[in-house]
Structures are given as C-alpha cells and as structure tokens.
Amino acid sequence: MKRAAYYPISEQAMLVEFGQEISEELRNKIRLFTDLLDQQNFPWLVEYIPAFTNVTIIFDLLYFKENPGQSHERIQEEIENILSSTEQETLKSPDSEPVKIPVCYDEEFGMDLDEVANYNGLSKEEVITLHTEGIYPVYMIGFSPGFPYLGGMTGKIAAPRKEKPRPKIPAGSVGIAGTQTGVYPLETPGGWQIIGRTPLSLFDPAKEPPALLKAGDSVQFYRISKEEYNRLKES
Amino acid sequence: MSLKILQSGLLSTIQDNGRFGFQKYGVIKSGAMDPYAHRLANILAGNPEDEATLEMTLLGPSIEFTEDHIIALTGGNLSPKVNGQPIPLWRPVFVRAGAKLEFGAPVSGCRTYMAVSGGYELEPELGSRSTYLKAGIGGVNGRALKENDDLKIRKSDLLDKAAIKNSEAKAIAASWYMKPDYTVINKTVRYIEGREYDWFTEDSRSGFNTEEFTLTSQSDRMGYRIEGPVLALKEKRELLSEAVGFGTIQVPAGGQPIILMADHQTTGGYPKMGQVITVDLPHLAQLKPGEKIKFEKTTVEEAQKLFVQRKKEIDFIRSMVKDKIDKGVL
C-alpha cells in the first residue's frame, strides 16, 4: 500500500499528500517527511514547500532528461522507499520545545486588545493570560516571507477580523483573526485584531535560515514589558 | 564601468533565474517574467545564463552609458533607440560611452530584457539578484530602478575582442542575429489540468477550453487577472492553502481566473483550473492588458518533452553564439 498520494502538478513539481484534514498527527508526519528530504540530498530535489496536508516537491527535470516522461514515477518510487524504511519513526512525535516569542501587549502595540477583550467578555489581562498559555503548532509558512499559519488557539479569545483593514500594520504585530493567531513578519496592510508586538524579526534575509519559524515547529508567546521590548529591539 | 538611469520607465527591475530553496519560508521565487528572453539576452551578451538582466515593462527607461558596453536586448519590442537611431533586438549591440538608450512605443510584447556584457555588479541576496519588491531584497536595494541610479557593470572580455575600433557610430549592431523560436503572436497557451479541474462544472470547463479571455489592467508581476466566461464550481467547497507556482490558474469565488506570475505568493487556497506549461510562460509574460488569449489542454508528459526540447534549443543557440563571439564577430 502506498504511504502517500502523488499528484504531478507541473513538469517539475510533484505534490505528496498525506491526508485531507488538518491534524497534529499529519503535521508530525509532514515534519518527519521534510526532515527525511533534508537528510537524503536527492540530486533531483530543488526545494520543497510544506502545507497543511501535503508537501510540494520541486525537482530538476533535466536530471531526468533522457526520459522526462518518467520523472514523476521515479520520484514517487524514491519517496516511497524513504517513507517505508522509516515506518517505525512516524509513530514518534518529532516535535521539540516550542519557540518562545516575547510579546509586549501594551496599549501602544496592542491597539485592538480592548476590542478582543470586550468581544469575549474578558478583561485585557485574561486575554493576555489565555494567549500566552497556548502552544501553537506551525502548520506552514506562506502568504509572505516568514508568516506562520498557527493552529491551536482557544476559542475563548477568538475575534472577527476588522471591518476595515488597516493600510499599514507594523512588522512584528501579533494578531487574532477568527480562531487564528499569528505574527506579521513585514509591514503590510491587514485586517487582523492587533493585540501586541514582538521585537523579534520573523524574517531577516541576512540570517540563515531567513525565517525564525518553519513548518513543524510550535510557538509559545510570553509577555514582556515596554522596557524589555526596547532592549530586545536594540540588541 | 556603469550605466546611469535618467528616467526609470514604468517598472524596471533587475531579475535573474529566481531565488531557489526559500519557498518553504514563504520567500517567493521571483525571477524574469519571460525566462526565455532573459536567458537569451545573457547568451547574446556572452554572459552566464544565471547572470542578472534588466527587465523593462511597456514604457522603457532612459539610460546613459558612461562607458563603452556591449548589450543585448530581447523579449518584447519596446522600440529601443540609441541617440534617436533604432537598434535591433536579439543580437549583441556595441554602445559607445556617452550614448543614450531610450524606448518608444511598444510594437510587440510587453517586456524587454537587457543584458550587459560582464554583468550587473550586484550582490545576490538569499542566493539571487532578483528584485523582490515586497520584501525589499535583491536587485538594487530591493526596489525598482529610479532616476539617478548608477548601475555598475563588471569588466567584459567581449569588449576587447569585438572588432569595433574603426567606427565612430554611437551604436553598432552585430550583423547576425537569432530568430526567437517563440513568437508573441501565438496567443494560445497550453496548460495541464489543475488539482481541482473536476470541481468545475462541465460548462465552465468547456468555456475555459474554447472561449477567449482578455488580460485586464489588474495584471502585474504577481498575477494576471483575465476576463472571460465565468468559471463556476459544481458545489461550494473549501480548500486548504497549498503550494502554487508560476503559471497556476486559480479561480476565486467570482469565477474570473487569476494566472499566477513570477512574483506569486508561495501558497494559495483557491481552486486550480490548470497550470500553464513552462514553455508557454513567455507568451503570457509578453501579453499586454486588453490582449486576448485562449487555453488548450495538454498533458504533463507532453509539457515535459517540450521543456527538455526547449533546453536543447537553448544549448544549441549558446554554442552557435559562443562560436561567433569567440571570433570577435560583432
């Protein structure tokens, strides 16, 4: 039996699907698979893009130029081989410690903290406590450089998007949209309810890797003061 | 060795073959909209194919050459002129220090590529010189060219080899040229079925395969919005975001497709009608707003065959051009 479903989505891309629904188990499977890809050094592999339920593999078609029509089949075989030889490990969770992200929830940064609190009939302090208690799995990075799609937020602090998106949201802003929470890595327009800001760069092209997070990580936020924010921002 | 930008043009950016390996971090691939014209510009200027070129859009810039240079222009014909004299595309052209390169009306196509022999002296960022405007990386400080920019050019051996010493002309075009195998007149674009092809109604699929679509003015390096018959799903269905590519034809709820182009986001959550095959992307890149296209379905295998064939053609052209250049035949 095959361990994944395979879709040739272009001349040089193959989508490897592990399931249909978002789940912790699937996220672990995908993390394990991308770890395997990192270890294998397949000569045809250009890069891969993990998503909620699948991983898209970009390959070098010229590696198969003697028989390009068989490239997808051969890649499928090689992937099935690495997946079957690591069957046992899929049972183990490859999850490590969550990445700790400092957030200043002061009014200056958390413009919509009041609104989120009122919407849920909570105090601002309660919103902050609930937001910092959660451990949020990173399902994928997309939308913009370093932007994490996080899961696992409690419904107790869920809030609808702003009716009027802001033309500019500063980099590092931490927000809530529906039952999702997230961080804006770059200054962009956006409709999320902004509850705080982190001094960390989620995307820094001068760093290797350029993004703080990757699919398969998990995140926990912790509260810092304005002074600490400024100190971390400068360092 | 440098070029001075007198006027920026509509959108002039430095591009190369793109940024690889960072899509998993949400960093887009970018690169030339017309990768074929980009490659050939480099080949004709005697550069490696991964060298950067200048991509110019519809209204070209105005550029002063402060030193002698050999350039090659490829892609769409935006009426290039040196000191008022038209110069041809698809061949090396010697341009003398002090000369001014300008562009006029777009005769055919939408994007011209300029390679300068020796290459633009720019540091790659995340492995590429392609300009990624949103993240502000690559190219010239991560932005489009603007007035008074100075583009440094690396020294070129080609300049010493070229037999141009006996003339005073501001521009001397090579007597030979290559005839591009793609033509911007061909407006039928081939595609392979997208993952959600079967989600669309039969009428929608048939409309997509037979009727014309018009490129709207809401089209840029990120994506092309096209207008034609409305493409509807059999039933409303939710889709999780997943990787998309250059040429992915996605259909938002309104039923009018968006074709993702070179600066597309790494992931998308709209149903995908299809994927334009790689060898036809240059046709799209050269399309102007208001122009029409049709779609024709093909298979992955056929697309792969054409891809490899195109690569062989480019290799052949490179060896021919190298032969000319080595002999100093400008």
Side-chain angles (χ1 to χ4, degrees), chain A residues 11 17 47 54 68 71 145-146, chain B residues 21 23 25 132 195 242 278 304:
Chain A
E11 298 97 325
E17 189 168 66
E47 63 181 311
N54 57 48
S71 55
Chain B
Q23 290 200 79
Y25 300 119
Y132 178 9
R195 288 237 294 157
E242 63 188 26
T278 302
Q304 290 182 315

Side-chain angles (χ1 to χ4, degrees), chain A residues 106-121:
Chain A
D106 285 10
E107 213 166 313
E108 180 188 346
F109 299 143
M111 299 90 88
D112 303 321
L113 190 55
D114 258 335
E115 201 172 320
V116 173
N118 291 339
Y119 185 81
N120 290 290

